Amino acid sequence: MKMGIMKKVLATTFATALVIGTFSGCGKETASIADDATPTSNAIDAKTVFTKGVYVTYPEAEKDDPDLTQFYVFFGDGSGSIEDGANGTANYFEYEAGEDTIEFHIGSIDPVVDTLTVTYFEDYLIKGHFSDGEELVFEHLTGVDVDTFNAVNYVNGIFGDPSVYTDANGWSIKYDASCITVNQGGPVTTFVYTGDCAGTNMITATYTVDNDAEGAVKELGEQWGEKATYSEGTFPGTEDIKGYWVSVGPEEGGSGAYVTAIARDYMDGALIFELDGHNGGDEAMDNQVAGVFSDMINSLEFAN
């Protein structure tokens, strides 16, 4: 089955919301393609060809300049998914291996059956063709975790674009994976800055049904004390949704700690993004952190 291939180009303009600043990202690594393999002289046993892992695929005719956007992910239990890193689609499959063929059942409802005829493999570089006859290359990606693989984020990393975190509650945010670590657990997700900085710098995203947005912000402000200041405006990622802000700036001569929270009414409760930051006196470093978080909060998108 021949998969459509395209490169993704992003052009994004960010406006300041939680913090102010526009700065460069934290650097990206570029994936590489292994040298072409030589056909094995032994008989091919397709049952041993695809092991648990992620395989990037591209036409043999494009091997000198392939697009790294199409992936076959094998879960190791006779199933997997075909993922497009350019447009974010994924298609579940199950497969059965024969002597030199692999029969794919693609799709979970009324699956399409197509057979890959394996022509050779060596060192996890596999070649074969589906019923349309086009010769395809499947290259195993080393060091990629099947359980956490995200095709869009992998492709974005190649082209220097941000990664995307998509929450089960219907919102997404872009982040720089080279300096942000994402930790997800139930209704709380944290985005921790891992680059050079003073103290802890992180965004905590929380969904709660125990309060509305205005009430959640007032509750935080009461915890932070009399120096908390409040404001209202349009919530980032929306055109007409009201947002509520509360913040406490760093104290002169203090530790440099500051905190800001922004909330909106969401579904049956409130969605809150709290930024805990520290300034360390190095203006360039502090501005870098501020710029990363500003870009993140202003990249918010909502499915509904």
Side-chain angles (χ1 to χ4, degrees), residues 77 101 139 149 180 200 203 207 245 268 293:
D77 60 358
T101 61
E139 182 184 346
F149 177 74
I180 294 291
T200 299
I203 289 177
Y207 173 68
W245 278 255
D268 296 323
F293 285 134

Side-chain angles (χ1 to χ4, degrees), residues 81-101:
S81 66
I82 303 170
E83 301 192 13
D84 188 322
N87 61 33
T89 61
N91 210 352
Y92 175 80
F93 67 74
E94 295 180 351
Y95 69 96
E96 300 172 359
E99 183 175 329
D100 60 356
T101 61

Side-chain angles (χ1 to χ4, degrees), residues 12 27 41 64 131 155 159 162 164 181 184 208 215 228 231 236-237 265-266 281-282 290:
T12 307
S41 57
D64 293 332
S131 57
V155 170
F159 294 114
V164 180
T181 296
Q184 202 280 330
T208 179
S231 60
D265 292 328
Y266 195 66
D282 184 326

Side-chain angles (χ1 to χ4, degrees), residues 208-219:
T208 179
V209 296
D210 296 329
N211 215 332
D212 60 12
E214 185 176 16
V217 162
K218 287 184 177 180
E219 187 175 283

